[in-house]
Each structure stands twice: as C-alpha cells, then as structure tokens.
Amino acid sequence: MRLRNVKNKEEILNNSKFLVKDYFENCGKWSSVFGNDNPIYIEIGMGKGKFIRENAKTYPNINFIGIEKYDSVVAKCLPKIDEDLENLLIIRMDALDIDKVFNKEISRIYLNFSDPWPKARHHLRRLSSRVFLEKYNSIFKNNMEIYMRTDNTDLFTYSLESFSQNGYSLYDISLDLHSSVEDENFITTEYEDRFSSKGMPIYSVVAVKDVKSSK
C-alpha cells in the first residue's frame, strides 16, 4: 500500500489525547481506561476514521476503539475527532497483535472494507480468516459479533465460508446493502461513500457466535 506522507504527522501522533500508545499495558483493563463499564466496540482497519468517529458521536453509551496499522492514515483521522468525545480511542497497531491487546472485553468487531489480499497464498492474512477468528475468540466478552462490509466479491464469499466453518451463524446477509437501507442516519465509511456513489454494490453480513462454543 502506497501512502502519502502527512504534514506534521509526528506532531499529530505525539499530541493527540485520543491515540493510545501503551495499549499492550491496557490488556484486560480497557473499561478502566474509559472509566465506565459500557460495551466496547472496535473497528479493525478504520482507515481515515469516519465510521468510528460518527458512531462515537451517535452512541455516547458505547465505547469505541479504532485500530489502524498505518501512521499516516491515523494522522489523517486524529485531527477530525471532536475534542469533547470521551468514548473514542485510537490505536496504531498491527491486527496480528489483537489478542495481546484485549482480553474478554470486546462486545463487537467491525470489519469495514478490509484488505482483500487477493492472492491465494495470502488468504490467511485476511481479517476474516481462521487465523484471525481464533485470535478473536479470546477478546470477546460475551457473544461474539462481527459486522462486515466489503465491495470485494471474493473476500465476501471467502468470509461467509470462514465464519460458517468456525462456528458463526450468519444474519442480515446483503448483496446490495445500500438498496435496502432506510435509516437516514445510516453511518458509512469514506471508502463506502466513494464506491456506492458510483453504483457499486456493497456486501454485508453479521456473524454471531456464542462465546461458550469457542471454549
């Protein structure tokens, strides 16, 4: 992935109160970090952060954590966060470390327009692969909920199979999400806006698994 450098990137990253740098030390303690026992939802691969920011503003009784690997992308998100938000934090990290950062404290995962890793030899890098689903097992607090959206047909088909093979039940499967959305406050990502405006279909699914069945 080729990313443009962001002016004053280091200054932005060093001075934002929303960016958590000692995230490994907070494993199992995120409710204390937020200062409440509200549910915690995470978005893995948040991009520029429109989705997670708008959710945090819309649902103040839910804590949100946006996760993104690339510092240039994080630096674009941070200045756009309303300073008075108290239920949003951002982590710059590789998702492979997800099970070292959270421990039985997450209520929902959002996978929005994840990297499709199209080559077959890279499929286990997909965020819906067996490798990652096994990591997610240890981070969920109660029932496991994964909300996924993508514009990539191959990734979507692969994900449906992967979820099913790993004990998830599938709900609200859509092959054209925006054609059925009636809520005028429906929250989208930057990527989603760009592609849906061109008439491209957005695929979505909700995958749910009883946390007991993962033990």
Side-chain angles (χ1 to χ4, degrees), residues 1 9 48 99 126-127 141 151 161 184 199 212:
M1 178 182 292
K9 178 182 67 178
K48 297 177 183 177
D99 54 340
R126 291 173 165 178
L127 293 177
K141 182 178 182 179
D151 65 314
E161 294 177 355
E184 60 182 17
K212 296 179 181 179

Side-chain angles (χ1 to χ4, degrees), residues 128-141:
S128 55
S129 73
R130 169 182 51 80
V131 170
F132 281 95
L133 293 180
E134 289 178 355
K135 289 178 177 290
Y136 302 155
N137 283 343
S138 67
I139 76 173
F140 278 108
K141 182 178 182 179

